[in-house]
Amino acid sequence: MYKISLMVRKINVLLIEDDFEIGKWLGKRILELSNIESLSWETSIEKALINLSLNNPDIIILDLKLPDGNGIDLLKKIKKAKKESKVFIFSVSNELRKTCLRSGADCFFDKTTDSEILIKSLK
């Protein structure tokens, strides 16, 4: 008799979201997933850049409108640094979907309709 064990790779997630209610809800949902190793939450580009200089998350969930700048600029910096991280844009700025994907985003999720799809994509 053979025993088969499936190894589930745990992932590290960096959430960059300045809206407290959205961040709290999303963080709670992410931490409910069994494949999450860690979750960091930053509320600005400045704090996100510090976090990224210290850590290499598997997945970055990035809002586009942040208090200290534009998430697309941060996306370009992440891709230019050749980080292995996948970047998921989570924004209400659906008109910027094509720009984000051309700039290197791996996925784009609309906050008004795709929050459950985002959670499922992390599994």
Side-chain angles (χ1 to χ4, degrees), residues 9-16 26 30 33 35-41 51-52 55-62 78-79 83-90 106-107 109 117-123:
R9 184 174 171 275
K10 300 263 184 175
I11 59 173
N12 299 303
V13 177
L14 171 58
L15 172 61
I16 306 168
L26 196 53
I30 290 168
L33 300 173
N35 65 321
I36 301 300
E37 179 76 27
S38 69
L39 170 68
S40 300
W41 177 14
N51 187 308
L52 287 166
N55 301 300
N56 193 23
D58 299 299
I59 296 176
I60 299 167
I61 301 171
L62 175 60
I78 293 167
K79 292 303 176 174
K83 289 268 186 194
E84 298 285 326
S85 308
K86 294 202 177 295
V87 180
F88 294 178
I89 303 297
F90 189 54
D106 294 282
C107 298
F109 299 94
I117 298 168
L118 169 62
I119 297 298
K120 287 179 184 176
S121 73
L122 295 172
K123 289 182 180 180

Side-chain angles (χ1 to χ4, degrees), residues 17-109:
E17 170 63 61
D18 66 321
D19 184 291
F20 180 76
E21 292 302 318
I22 292 171
K24 187 171 89 171
W25 178 85
L26 196 53
K28 181 178 183 280
R29 293 297 312 276
I30 290 168
L31 289 173
E32 290 172 349
L33 300 173
S34 61
N35 65 321
I36 301 300
E37 179 76 27
S38 69
L39 170 68
S40 300
W41 177 14
E42 302 298 351
T43 57
S44 70
I45 290 175
E46 179 184 3
K47 291 176 182 176
L49 286 170
I50 293 168
N51 187 308
L52 287 166
S53 72
L54 300 171
N55 301 300
N56 193 23
D58 299 299
I59 296 176
I60 299 167
I61 301 171
L62 175 60
D63 185 14
L64 293 180
K65 295 181 181 174
L66 295 161
D68 59 344
N70 182 326
I72 294 175
D73 294 335
L74 179 56
L75 169 64
K76 290 175 181 177
K77 286 180 183 180
I78 293 167
K79 292 303 176 174
K80 187 176 180 182
K82 305 226 187 284
K83 289 268 186 194
E84 298 285 326
S85 308
K86 294 202 177 295
V87 180
F88 294 178
I89 303 297
F90 189 54
S91 179
V92 293
S93 302
N94 202 27
E95 68 278 1
L96 295 174
R97 177 185 300 266
K98 287 181 183 175
T99 301
C100 292
L101 295 172
R102 276 192 306 254
S103 297
D106 294 282
C107 298
F108 187 103
F109 299 94

